[in-house]
């Protein structure tokens, strides 16, 4: 990625980001095969199950569905893929197996930080008191993940094991968040830097300075945007020098901005390019008092909402250096 070339016009920017899209796939035709395999093999080791399931996907999926494994986040691919009806059995082990298999097939390298229990999202103790937190009850404002980290997170993936609250993940394309900005404000955004700070999930405070927009011929425009407000640390994104008024204008438009929704249904897998799509969530569709009781003794089998998550960089594949004398046996 590189900073924006000042020769690139605002018109080019608007036209390019207007082409970003979501791809919706339906795996109903494979669900029966997956569930039949699962009933016969579910007592095996989880790693073996993942390998078996990857082979099922590669052997039975239609070519036009496999095509998207290599395309998420590319300038000629979808910025997000939502797959519905992969399975219908409410089983945390099956959901996690499907999640890990698909994350591998979409070339996601999962990163788990020592300070964060990030794999399973479900109601944790005191969940009713918290917003801006995947394990809480309250709303989560549009953002991209981990912008305060030194690592660049290319992908976020979520798999729904169950959600009796029917609270879907919302996601926003930058084209819909920036449509009210003038050409002058867009030009300002293209050269802007901001400081991104950590929130509840991190002990202490982490910071990183990033350009709001970067560009690559392979990946197109990348955005770093986070509109969450942490109860202790305040706004998670703060413009450096000038430009805060542009970010404030985008924030003011969030309630009326066009957005899309994943499916809050068992057997749904969503993967998004973290720097092309912002994700969010409304307050859970469940009574706060019930949340308080559920969260006290919440387990994978009793929680009303259980999702599995992966996030991290895309796997990189390198060709052998042809200038060396190394030879590979056939």
């Amino acid at each position: 990625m590189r900073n924006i070339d000042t020769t690139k016009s605002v018109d080019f920017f608007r036209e390019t980001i207007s082409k970003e899209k979501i791809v919706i796939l339906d795996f109903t035709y494979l669900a029966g095969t997956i569930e039949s395999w699962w009933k016969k093999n579910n007592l095996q080791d989880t790693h073996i199950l993942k390998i078996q399931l990857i082979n099922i996907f590669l052997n039975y999926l239609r070519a036009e569905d496999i095509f998207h494994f290599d395309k998420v986040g590319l300038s000629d691919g979808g910025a997000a893929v939502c797959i519905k009806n992969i399975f219908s059995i409410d089983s945390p082990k099956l959901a996690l197996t499907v999640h890990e298999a698909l994350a591998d097939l979409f070339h996601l390298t999962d990163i788990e930080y020592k300070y964060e229990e990030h794999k399973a999202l479900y109601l944790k103790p005191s969940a009713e008191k918290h917003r801006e937190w995947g394990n809480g009850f309250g709303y989560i404002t549009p953002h991209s993940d981990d912008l305060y980290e030194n690592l660049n997170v290319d992908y976020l993936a979520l798999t729904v094991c169950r959600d009796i609250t029917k609270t879907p993940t919302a996601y926003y394309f930058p084209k819909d968040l920036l449509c009210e900005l003038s050409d002058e404000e867009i030009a300002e955004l293209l050269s802007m830097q901001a400081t991104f700070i950590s929130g509840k999930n991190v002990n202490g405070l982490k910071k990183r300075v990033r350009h709001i927009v970067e560009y690559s011929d392979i990946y197109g425009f990348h955005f770093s945007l986070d509109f969450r407000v942490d109860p202790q640390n305040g706004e998670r994104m703060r413009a450096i020098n000038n430009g805060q008024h542009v970010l404030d204008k985008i924030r003011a438009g969030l309630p009326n901005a066009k957005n899309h929704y994943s499916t809050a249904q068992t057997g749904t897998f969503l993967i998004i390019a973290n720097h092309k799509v912002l994700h969010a969530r409304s307050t859970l569709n469940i009574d706060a008092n019930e949340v308080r009781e559920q969260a006290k003794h919440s387990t994978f089998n009793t929680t009303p909402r259980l999702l599995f998550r992966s996030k991290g960089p895309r796997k990189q594949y390198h060709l052998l250096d042809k200038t060396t004398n190394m030879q590979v046996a056939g």
Side-chain angles (χ1 to χ4, degrees), residues 35 38 83 85-99 119-122 157-167 169 262-270 299-309:
E35 293 183 358
W38 182 254
I83 307 175
N85 302 315
I86 307 168
F87 59 93
S88 60
I89 300 171
D90 182 346
S91 162
K93 187 176 180 181
L94 172 57
L96 181 57
T97 302
V98 168
H99 177 81
K119 180 56 62 176
L121 298 176
Y122 62 102
L158 298 168
T159 296
V160 180
C161 174
R162 89 176 60 87
D163 187 2
I164 66 173
T165 75
K166 299 299 180 185
T167 310
T169 299
S262 181
T263 303
Q265 176 180 309
T266 295
T268 299
F269 176 88
L270 173 70
T299 68
F300 281 7
N301 291 319
T302 62
T303 186
R305 188 175 190 268
L306 173 61
L307 279 67
F308 291 103
R309 172 175 65 177

Side-chain angles (χ1 to χ4, degrees), residues 312-326:
R314 61 175 55 83
K315 290 183 175 69
Q316 299 294 331
Y317 298 94
H318 302 280
L319 296 175
L320 287 176
D321 186 348
K322 295 181 180 179
T323 65
T324 69
N325 295 321
M326 294 181 63

